[in-house]
Amino acid sequence: MIKKLSLVSLFTLLPASFYFAQTTVFAYLKDADGKPVERAEVDLKGNDNDVTADKIGYFQFVDLQPGHYQIMIAKPNYETKVMEFDVTSDEKRKDLGAITLYPTLTNADQGLAIIDSDDDDDSSNSQASTVGLLQSSQDVFSRIAAFDLGFYWFRPRGIDGRSGESMLNGVSMVKSDNGNVDFGNWGGLNEITRYPEISANHSPSEYSFGGNSSVIYKNTKASEYRKGFQFTQSLTNRNYRNRTSLRYTSGMSKKGWAFTVMGARRWAEEGIQEGTFYDAYGAYVGIEKKFSDKHTITFNAIGAPYRRSTASPSTQEVYDYRGVHYNSYWGYQNGEQRSERVRKGFQPLFQLQDFWKINKKSSLWTSVSYQFGKDKGSRLDWQNVQNPSPTYYRNLPSYYDSLDPNASVLGPNGITTTSQDAYQTSLAGWQSGDPNVTQLNWDRLYRRNMQQPIDNYYGQTGKRALYYLVNDVSDDKIWNAATHFIHNFNDTTKFLLNVSYQNYRSEQYREVNDLLGADFVLNKDPFAATNQPGKSGLYNEGEENVTKKVGDRMTYDYIFRRQEVKVNPGLKFSTGKFDVFISAMAGYSTSNREGLFNHYLYKDSKGKGADYNFWTYGMKGQAVYKVNGRNFIVYNGAYYSQAPFLEDLFINPRVNGSTAPNVKNMVVNANDLSYVISTPFLKMRLTGFLVDTNNETTVQRFFADGIPLESVDADGNQTNVQSAFVTQVMTDVKKRNMGVELGFDVKVIPTLSLQGLASYGQYTYKNDPMTYFASDAAGVFANGLSYTSVGKSYIKNYRQGGTPQQAFSLGFRYNNPKYWWVGANWNYFDDNYLDPSSLVRTESFTQNSTSSTPFYGLSESDLRRVLEPNKLPSSFFFNANAGKSWVIGKYYVLISASVNNILDNKRYITGGFEQTRNAKYPTFSQDLDREFSLFAPKYWYTQGRSYFVNLQFRF
């Protein structure tokens, strides 16, 4: 009996002895502040049982036999860490201690050039940077698109950034007038606003319903930043040259207080574009009071005053003469550079946020925000004289070349000569870079003004300005309030409710900036005597002072108002192998315009107009099918409506209260289906997407020749106008954006990753929208309205402009265990188009104004040739980046550097627009066939090789 028991005991204890010979290895992951880093992936080399850190940063490996091991710890936005350790036979539990992960600086402010497009330019689409919206997320495609392709103006899926949502501390930062986000309002505060939560594309978000180009959400809680000081110095050769910042965080005190303050400055005497400068500051104050584990209040104040000049688009003729860094907006005055286009502003933001954990299952966040201040953009204006811009078509060699060689003209030097000699003089000036030819001549403008005779104008005696500078001003006051409620029914079901309110008020006006040596300028339309004979021509009839001096308002003055409420409930739940997220939205907005000037052409120019009310609605859904722990099928769907922004609703708000005809809510139907792989050594997403947009309204402004405009005054008298600045409106625009996306990240070895992206899309117009025109030269038309219809614009199946529709990227990243990394990638872009001009694709373009029949001899092949889509050249680029970090006691030092466009490719056109100066086929075709078209498209080019070096020191 004893022998039997001994035998049983022997076989029972043997497995136990074997078990106890194996070891459990564990550790805790923390960030530089000592806070847990959750959901980091910990890969054990040679073992399939990789793990993910839990909410307190804890991970463990069990049953490890004695030997030598290597683990790799990875989490987006943190430096990848590789560690080695040994397990001996006498260890039951091995504690690796607290492992610190430090954030990377891969999404540091890259000093991107800023391109502005003013309303009165000959632009058919606004070229505004979307790079600010493309921030890092955990999705491999989005990350590569942001850091590697965003620099070259790539927009994922071709979606306009105005259809997205950007939130700061619980409230929307989207402006109601144009739908854009002014990231300059917190410019330079990178270390404060970094690492937002992102719901990519049209996927549902917990914080807002959003649109179809991502929801970006960021909280700036004072206690969430690393305790102590952080100093950053950056050097670059982009739109600014230097950036310096300092941040201090107190940490949470025993009494529940935390403070974070930061200051930053970015500046350049001259940026990468000729004649540009940059001077911007940023300041942040964050105060947090923790009353208990259930209740916290934060206060955030952000201010970023700035003053910077902008660069111009140009035709290919100009770029061929002067290169891609040419800028027509500046010239010399008394030997010093001076720009006519200067943006300056200060719109501080104050926010109060309350975090309340109601109970174990429910919480409520409440936010209140107020923003106010002015944004000013200067520009040169003139009356009864020729456009002084060096790139005005009459100031270029191509203009003189288009004339009879023996014709008598006024040459570039102001001397009467033949057009042939003027051409040679102009060509020589442009090729040699003579600033008297290629740049604004400020001294000449001053001389012309000061040579004006002293005369009496509307009771004031002095010299009237022919040339002068004005500021276009936006004076904003924006209130926001929002709540974010969460209730967890159980571990698998969560209810969400977001309610938001915005009260937007913006007074927009023009003021005199500089009279350039004159005494005053007249607040009067200089073309009224020709276009509107017998009328006063006054921009503000009845005012006492028509002669305007510096600081006085002129030309236009009006107020935009909008109030908007949105309710957004959502439900997230898991059942079986499915994770489901359903989000709904209902909204109501009321908008109006109040005119403060009494324009001489429009009865509805002054006073408060009618309220325009819009109900919006929507539904989003996401379903994730978990094939297993590493393979997923994901569907995202959205169907929603969006109210028109104020600048799309009111077609010419500077002078009247007219709204776009048949304006409706834009309706979006977006769907995508993805296959996702997420393993320690392979991350991949393959997606097919289809986005249909209906009922969109677009408003564009430009100068056009050849449009027969007829105005009718109160007595029935008709005035015919052939050339004028016009407002073009397209209604019921339908678009389709479809394509395929692929992003992947493969770990060849634990320290080396191959990363790539492929985006193949087809973004087209689906219909022939109705087109309308308005013009201050015509005023009210025979139909009694301030606009007239020119019929359909035949743009169906034309490609949309603004972004490459094909994009590819391939690169690598090596992370050394000794805390340095290096990476590089190749990028390729193709199928980039300019948006088609609507006017030249209407029947009016082909019809003789006299006979109202098509031009004699015009064939379909001729028409197709001149209206061929404007496709831009394809290009490829190489980028590289590297970095190294050190921990020296309690100090942390990091240096990183990136170089974009290593091969200095200056042939890539990032965007542009077709000029619509000739609105009839004969003159359009004749101009198109010239060696250098007088009214060729205007482009923005990539800026060549650029670098960005960043040094960070924490103490």
Side-chain angles (χ1 to χ4, degrees), residues 491-492 571-582 621-626 632-636:
D491 292 340
T492 61
L571 184 67
K572 298 180 72 172
F573 62 92
S574 298
T575 175
K577 288 192 172 185
F578 286 93
D579 290 338
V580 180
F581 188 177
I582 299 173
Q622 181 184 76
V624 179
Y625 176 71
K626 295 169 283 189
F632 309 88
I633 297 174
V634 183
Y635 167 76
N636 289 291

PDB file of all heavy atoms in Angstrom, residues 491-492 571-582 621-626 632-636:
ATOM      1  N   ASP A 491     -20.829  45.524 -19.526  1.00  0.00           N
ATOM      2  CA  ASP A 491     -19.495  45.552 -20.135  1.00  0.00           C
ATOM      3  C   ASP A 491     -19.534  45.563 -21.656  1.00  0.00           C
ATOM      4  O   ASP A 491     -18.527  45.878 -22.302  1.00  0.00           O
ATOM      5  CB  ASP A 491     -18.675  44.342 -19.660  1.00  0.00           C
ATOM      6  CG  ASP A 491     -18.332  44.435 -18.182  1.00  0.00           C
ATOM      7  OD1 ASP A 491     -18.379  45.558 -17.648  1.00  0.00           O
ATOM      8  OD2 ASP A 491     -18.026  43.396 -17.572  1.00  0.00           O
ATOM      9  N   THR A 492     -20.662  45.226 -22.244  1.00  0.00           N
ATOM     10  CA  THR A 492     -20.723  45.109 -23.708  1.00  0.00           C
ATOM     11  C   THR A 492     -21.661  46.115 -24.366  1.00  0.00           C
ATOM     12  O   THR A 492     -21.752  46.151 -25.588  1.00  0.00           O
ATOM     13  CB  THR A 492     -21.160  43.691 -24.111  1.00  0.00           C
ATOM     14  OG1 THR A 492     -22.463  43.428 -23.575  1.00  0.00           O
ATOM     15  CG2 THR A 492     -20.169  42.651 -23.598  1.00  0.00           C
ATOM     16  N   LEU A 571     -25.205  54.234 -29.817  1.00  0.00           N
ATOM     17  CA  LEU A 571     -25.252  52.980 -29.064  1.00  0.00           C
ATOM     18  C   LEU A 571     -24.150  52.060 -29.566  1.00  0.00           C
ATOM     19  O   LEU A 571     -24.042  51.803 -30.768  1.00  0.00           O
ATOM     20  CB  LEU A 571     -26.623  52.305 -29.234  1.00  0.00           C
ATOM     21  CG  LEU A 571     -26.838  51.015 -28.417  1.00  0.00           C
ATOM     22  CD1 LEU A 571     -26.878  51.334 -26.918  1.00  0.00           C
ATOM     23  CD2 LEU A 571     -28.137  50.317 -28.840  1.00  0.00           C
ATOM     24  N   LYS A 572     -23.313  51.585 -28.624  1.00  0.00           N
ATOM     25  CA  LYS A 572     -22.255  50.632 -28.944  1.00  0.00           C
ATOM     26  C   LYS A 572     -22.529  49.345 -28.167  1.00  0.00           C
ATOM     27  O   LYS A 572     -22.806  49.381 -26.968  1.00  0.00           O
ATOM     28  CB  LYS A 572     -20.875  51.176 -28.546  1.00  0.00           C
ATOM     29  CG  LYS A 572     -20.474  52.434 -29.263  1.00  0.00           C
ATOM     30  CD  LYS A 572     -19.103  52.915 -28.824  1.00  0.00           C
ATOM     31  CE  LYS A 572     -18.001  52.024 -29.366  1.00  0.00           C
ATOM     32  NZ  LYS A 572     -16.653  52.612 -29.092  1.00  0.00           N
ATOM     33  N   PHE A 573     -22.453  48.228 -28.884  1.00  0.00           N
ATOM     34  CA  PHE A 573     -22.677  46.963 -28.189  1.00  0.00           C
ATOM     35  C   PHE A 573     -21.936  45.843 -28.910  1.00  0.00           C
ATOM     36  O   PHE A 573     -21.562  45.966 -30.090  1.00  0.00           O
ATOM     37  CB  PHE A 573     -24.171  46.638 -28.099  1.00  0.00           C
ATOM     38  CG  PHE A 573     -24.853  46.472 -29.428  1.00  0.00           C
ATOM     39  CD1 PHE A 573     -24.963  45.221 -30.018  1.00  0.00           C
ATOM     40  CD2 PHE A 573     -25.414  47.563 -30.079  1.00  0.00           C
ATOM     41  CE1 PHE A 573     -25.608  45.060 -31.245  1.00  0.00           C
ATOM     42  CE2 PHE A 573     -26.053  47.420 -31.305  1.00  0.00           C
ATOM     43  CZ  PHE A 573     -26.155  46.157 -31.880  1.00  0.00           C
ATOM     44  N   SER A 574     -21.722  44.768 -28.188  1.00  0.00           N
ATOM     45  CA  SER A 574     -21.078  43.571 -28.730  1.00  0.00           C
ATOM     46  C   SER A 574     -22.016  42.402 -28.558  1.00  0.00           C
ATOM     47  O   SER A 574     -22.672  42.248 -27.521  1.00  0.00           O
ATOM     48  CB  SER A 574     -19.760  43.284 -28.001  1.00  0.00           C
ATOM     49  OG  SER A 574     -18.849  44.334 -28.169  1.00  0.00           O
ATOM     50  N   THR A 575     -22.055  41.560 -29.603  1.00  0.00           N
ATOM     51  CA  THR A 575     -22.862  40.353 -29.533  1.00  0.00           C
ATOM     52  C   THR A 575     -22.196  39.283 -30.378  1.00  0.00           C
ATOM     53  O   THR A 575     -21.974  39.468 -31.580  1.00  0.00           O
ATOM     54  CB  THR A 575     -24.309  40.617 -30.021  1.00  0.00           C
ATOM     55  OG1 THR A 575     -25.031  39.377 -30.057  1.00  0.00           O
ATOM     56  CG2 THR A 575     -24.339  41.262 -31.382  1.00  0.00           C
ATOM     57  N   GLY A 576     -21.828  38.209 -29.735  1.00  0.00           N
ATOM     58  CA  GLY A 576     -21.126  37.156 -30.455  1.00  0.00           C
ATOM     59  C   GLY A 576     -19.817  37.672 -31.030  1.00  0.00           C
ATOM     60  O   GLY A 576     -18.987  38.248 -30.324  1.00  0.00           O
ATOM     61  N   LYS A 577     -19.635  37.495 -32.323  1.00  0.00           N
ATOM     62  CA  LYS A 577     -18.419  37.946 -32.986  1.00  0.00           C
ATOM     63  C   LYS A 577     -18.548  39.349 -33.580  1.00  0.00           C
ATOM     64  O   LYS A 577     -17.670  39.800 -34.321  1.00  0.00           O
ATOM     65  CB  LYS A 577     -18.039  36.965 -34.089  1.00  0.00           C
ATOM     66  CG  LYS A 577     -17.509  35.631 -33.573  1.00  0.00           C
ATOM     67  CD  LYS A 577     -16.880  34.832 -34.696  1.00  0.00           C
ATOM     68  CE  LYS A 577     -16.185  33.589 -34.152  1.00  0.00           C
ATOM     69  NZ  LYS A 577     -15.462  32.865 -35.226  1.00  0.00           N
ATOM     70  N   PHE A 578     -19.631  40.052 -33.256  1.00  0.00           N
ATOM     71  CA  PHE A 578     -19.870  41.373 -33.820  1.00  0.00           C
ATOM     72  C   PHE A 578     -19.702  42.473 -32.767  1.00  0.00           C
ATOM     73  O   PHE A 578     -20.164  42.340 -31.630  1.00  0.00           O
ATOM     74  CB  PHE A 578     -21.278  41.471 -34.411  1.00  0.00           C
ATOM     75  CG  PHE A 578     -21.444  40.744 -35.718  1.00  0.00           C
ATOM     76  CD1 PHE A 578     -21.898  39.430 -35.739  1.00  0.00           C
ATOM     77  CD2 PHE A 578     -21.141  41.372 -36.914  1.00  0.00           C
ATOM     78  CE1 PHE A 578     -22.046  38.758 -36.947  1.00  0.00           C
ATOM     79  CE2 PHE A 578     -21.296  40.705 -38.119  1.00  0.00           C
ATOM     80  CZ  PHE A 578     -21.747  39.398 -38.137  1.00  0.00           C
ATOM     81  N   ASP A 579     -19.050  43.562 -33.168  1.00  0.00           N
ATOM     82  CA  ASP A 579     -19.069  44.823 -32.435  1.00  0.00           C
ATOM     83  C   ASP A 579     -19.816  45.824 -33.306  1.00  0.00           C
ATOM     84  O   ASP A 579     -19.477  46.014 -34.482  1.00  0.00           O
ATOM     85  CB  ASP A 579     -17.657  45.347 -32.170  1.00  0.00           C
ATOM     86  CG  ASP A 579     -16.911  44.501 -31.159  1.00  0.00           C
ATOM     87  OD1 ASP A 579     -17.574  43.799 -30.373  1.00  0.00           O
ATOM     88  OD2 ASP A 579     -15.667  44.533 -31.156  1.00  0.00           O
ATOM     89  N   VAL A 580     -20.817  46.473 -32.734  1.00  0.00           N
ATOM     90  CA  VAL A 580     -21.693  47.356 -33.509  1.00  0.00           C
ATOM     91  C   VAL A 580     -21.732  48.737 -32.858  1.00  0.00           C
ATOM     92  O   VAL A 580     -21.780  48.857 -31.636  1.00  0.00           O
ATOM     93  CB  VAL A 580     -23.117  46.774 -33.611  1.00  0.00           C
ATOM     94  CG1 VAL A 580     -24.019  47.705 -34.419  1.00  0.00           C
ATOM     95  CG2 VAL A 580     -23.089  45.383 -34.241  1.00  0.00           C
ATOM     96  N   PHE A 581     -21.694  49.760 -33.695  1.00  0.00           N
ATOM     97  CA  PHE A 581     -21.792  51.150 -33.239  1.00  0.00           C
ATOM     98  C   PHE A 581     -22.793  51.855 -34.150  1.00  0.00           C
ATOM     99  O   PHE A 581     -22.597  51.956 -35.352  1.00  0.00           O
ATOM    100  CB  PHE A 581     -20.427  51.823 -33.319  1.00  0.00           C
ATOM    101  CG  PHE A 581     -20.356  53.197 -32.693  1.00  0.00           C
ATOM    102  CD1 PHE A 581     -19.146  53.883 -32.653  1.00  0.00           C
ATOM    103  CD2 PHE A 581     -21.463  53.829 -32.140  1.00  0.00           C
ATOM    104  CE1 PHE A 581     -19.041  55.150 -32.090  1.00  0.00           C
ATOM    105  CE2 PHE A 581     -21.388  55.077 -31.565  1.00  0.00           C
ATOM    106  CZ  PHE A 581     -20.166  55.739 -31.541  1.00  0.00           C
ATOM    107  N   ILE A 582     -23.886  52.342 -33.564  1.00  0.00           N
ATOM    108  CA  ILE A 582     -24.915  53.070 -34.306  1.00  0.00           C
ATOM    109  C   ILE A 582     -24.985  54.493 -33.761  1.00  0.00           C
ATOM    110  O   ILE A 582     -25.067  54.702 -32.550  1.00  0.00           O
ATOM    111  CB  ILE A 582     -26.291  52.381 -34.181  1.00  0.00           C
ATOM    112  CG1 ILE A 582     -26.232  50.963 -34.751  1.00  0.00           C
ATOM    113  CG2 ILE A 582     -27.359  53.191 -34.904  1.00  0.00           C
ATOM    114  CD1 ILE A 582     -27.493  50.164 -34.515  1.00  0.00           C
ATOM    115  N   GLY A 621     -23.354  53.983 -39.088  1.00  0.00           N
ATOM    116  CA  GLY A 621     -23.252  52.660 -38.484  1.00  0.00           C
ATOM    117  C   GLY A 621     -21.918  52.021 -38.767  1.00  0.00           C
ATOM    118  O   GLY A 621     -21.325  52.226 -39.838  1.00  0.00           O
ATOM    119  N   GLN A 622     -21.428  51.281 -37.805  1.00  0.00           N
ATOM    120  CA  GLN A 622     -20.203  50.500 -37.973  1.00  0.00           C
ATOM    121  C   GLN A 622     -20.445  49.105 -37.421  1.00  0.00           C
ATOM    122  O   GLN A 622     -20.972  48.945 -36.319  1.00  0.00           O
ATOM    123  CB  GLN A 622     -19.033  51.142 -37.243  1.00  0.00           C
ATOM    124  CG  GLN A 622     -17.719  50.382 -37.402  1.00  0.00           C
ATOM    125  CD  GLN A 622     -16.591  50.991 -36.598  1.00  0.00           C
ATOM    126  OE1 GLN A 622     -16.526  50.828 -35.381  1.00  0.00           O
ATOM    127  NE2 GLN A 622     -15.697  51.705 -37.275  1.00  0.00           N
ATOM    128  N   ALA A 623     -20.051  48.109 -38.210  1.00  0.00           N
ATOM    129  CA  ALA A 623     -20.146  46.717 -37.775  1.00  0.00           C
ATOM    130  C   ALA A 623     -18.795  46.051 -37.984  1.00  0.00           C
ATOM    131  O   ALA A 623     -18.258  46.074 -39.094  1.00  0.00           O
ATOM    132  CB  ALA A 623     -21.233  45.978 -38.544  1.00  0.00           C
ATOM    133  N   VAL A 624     -18.252  45.494 -36.915  1.00  0.00           N
ATOM    134  CA  VAL A 624     -16.969  44.796 -36.972  1.00  0.00           C
ATOM    135  C   VAL A 624     -17.219  43.314 -36.724  1.00  0.00           C
ATOM    136  O   VAL A 624     -17.754  42.929 -35.673  1.00  0.00           O
ATOM    137  CB  VAL A 624     -15.987  45.344 -35.920  1.00  0.00           C
ATOM    138  CG1 VAL A 624     -14.659  44.593 -35.987  1.00  0.00           C
ATOM    139  CG2 VAL A 624     -15.773  46.835 -36.109  1.00  0.00           C
ATOM    140  N   TYR A 625     -16.849  42.506 -37.709  1.00  0.00           N
ATOM    141  CA  TYR A 625     -16.967  41.051 -37.555  1.00  0.00           C
ATOM    142  C   TYR A 625     -15.587  40.492 -37.256  1.00  0.00           C
ATOM    143  O   TYR A 625     -14.654  40.645 -38.048  1.00  0.00           O
ATOM    144  CB  TYR A 625     -17.532  40.401 -38.810  1.00  0.00           C
ATOM    145  CG  TYR A 625     -17.583  38.885 -38.732  1.00  0.00           C
ATOM    146  CD1 TYR A 625     -18.489  38.251 -37.892  1.00  0.00           C
ATOM    147  CD2 TYR A 625     -16.703  38.103 -39.477  1.00  0.00           C
ATOM    148  CE1 TYR A 625     -18.536  36.862 -37.802  1.00  0.00           C
ATOM    149  CE2 TYR A 625     -16.737  36.720 -39.394  1.00  0.00           C
ATOM    150  CZ  TYR A 625     -17.660  36.101 -38.560  1.00  0.00           C
ATOM    151  OH  TYR A 625     -17.691  34.728 -38.464  1.00  0.00           O
ATOM    152  N   LYS A 626     -15.465  39.861 -36.089  1.00  0.00           N
ATOM    153  CA  LYS A 626     -14.182  39.314 -35.658  1.00  0.00           C
ATOM    154  C   LYS A 626     -14.050  37.886 -36.161  1.00  0.00           C
ATOM    155  O   LYS A 626     -14.584  36.943 -35.556  1.00  0.00           O
ATOM    156  CB  LYS A 626     -14.085  39.377 -34.137  1.00  0.00           C
ATOM    157  CG  LYS A 626     -14.074  40.804 -33.582  1.00  0.00           C
ATOM    158  CD  LYS A 626     -14.245  40.855 -32.081  1.00  0.00           C
ATOM    159  CE  LYS A 626     -15.701  40.623 -31.695  1.00  0.00           C
ATOM    160  NZ  LYS A 626     -15.967  40.862 -30.270  1.00  0.00           N
ATOM    161  N   PHE A 632     -10.331  40.806 -39.192  1.00  0.00           N
ATOM    162  CA  PHE A 632     -11.601  41.490 -38.979  1.00  0.00           C
ATOM    163  C   PHE A 632     -12.173  41.954 -40.321  1.00  0.00           C
ATOM    164  O   PHE A 632     -11.428  42.277 -41.252  1.00  0.00           O
ATOM    165  CB  PHE A 632     -11.414  42.722 -38.081  1.00  0.00           C
ATOM    166  CG  PHE A 632     -10.678  42.456 -36.808  1.00  0.00           C
ATOM    167  CD1 PHE A 632      -9.294  42.523 -36.758  1.00  0.00           C
ATOM    168  CD2 PHE A 632     -11.368  42.122 -35.658  1.00  0.00           C
ATOM    169  CE1 PHE A 632      -8.602  42.278 -35.595  1.00  0.00           C
ATOM    170  CE2 PHE A 632     -10.687  41.873 -34.482  1.00  0.00           C
ATOM    171  CZ  PHE A 632      -9.305  41.946 -34.446  1.00  0.00           C
ATOM    172  N   ILE A 633     -13.472  41.990 -40.387  1.00  0.00           N
ATOM    173  CA  ILE A 633     -14.189  42.596 -41.503  1.00  0.00           C
ATOM    174  C   ILE A 633     -14.988  43.762 -40.937  1.00  0.00           C
ATOM    175  O   ILE A 633     -15.755  43.595 -39.980  1.00  0.00           O
ATOM    176  CB  ILE A 633     -15.110  41.582 -42.212  1.00  0.00           C
ATOM    177  CG1 ILE A 633     -14.272  40.450 -42.821  1.00  0.00           C
ATOM    178  CG2 ILE A 633     -15.931  42.277 -43.294  1.00  0.00           C
ATOM    179  CD1 ILE A 633     -15.100  39.337 -43.422  1.00  0.00           C
ATOM    180  N   VAL A 634     -14.787  44.945 -41.510  1.00  0.00           N
ATOM    181  CA  VAL A 634     -15.372  46.162 -40.951  1.00  0.00           C
ATOM    182  C   VAL A 634     -16.198  46.874 -42.018  1.00  0.00           C
ATOM    183  O   VAL A 634     -15.725  47.125 -43.128  1.00  0.00           O
ATOM    184  CB  VAL A 634     -14.278  47.118 -40.436  1.00  0.00           C
ATOM    185  CG1 VAL A 634     -14.914  48.353 -39.800  1.00  0.00           C
ATOM    186  CG2 VAL A 634     -13.367  46.416 -39.449  1.00  0.00           C
ATOM    187  N   TYR A 635     -17.429  47.200 -41.660  1.00  0.00           N
ATOM    188  CA  TYR A 635     -18.292  47.997 -42.538  1.00  0.00           C
ATOM    189  C   TYR A 635     -18.609  49.315 -41.855  1.00  0.00           C
ATOM    190  O   TYR A 635     -18.951  49.365 -40.664  1.00  0.00           O
ATOM    191  CB  TYR A 635     -19.600  47.260 -42.840  1.00  0.00           C
ATOM    192  CG  TYR A 635     -20.647  48.172 -43.473  1.00  0.00           C
ATOM    193  CD1 TYR A 635     -20.542  48.545 -44.811  1.00  0.00           C
ATOM    194  CD2 TYR A 635     -21.693  48.687 -42.710  1.00  0.00           C
ATOM    195  CE1 TYR A 635     -21.470  49.403 -45.376  1.00  0.00           C
ATOM    196  CE2 TYR A 635     -22.630  49.539 -43.275  1.00  0.00           C
ATOM    197  CZ  TYR A 635     -22.510  49.896 -44.609  1.00  0.00           C
ATOM    198  OH  TYR A 635     -23.430  50.753 -45.169  1.00  0.00           O
ATOM    199  N   ASN A 636     -18.497  50.413 -42.608  1.00  0.00           N
ATOM    200  CA  ASN A 636     -18.920  51.731 -42.147  1.00  0.00           C
ATOM    201  C   ASN A 636     -19.902  52.312 -43.155  1.00  0.00           C
ATOM    202  O   ASN A 636     -19.627  52.316 -44.360  1.00  0.00           O
ATOM    203  CB  ASN A 636     -17.725  52.685 -42.027  1.00  0.00           C
ATOM    204  CG  ASN A 636     -16.818  52.347 -40.871  1.00  0.00           C
ATOM    205  OD1 ASN A 636     -17.196  52.497 -39.707  1.00  0.00           O
ATOM    206  ND2 ASN A 636     -15.613  51.877 -41.178  1.00  0.00           N
TER     207      ASN A 636
END
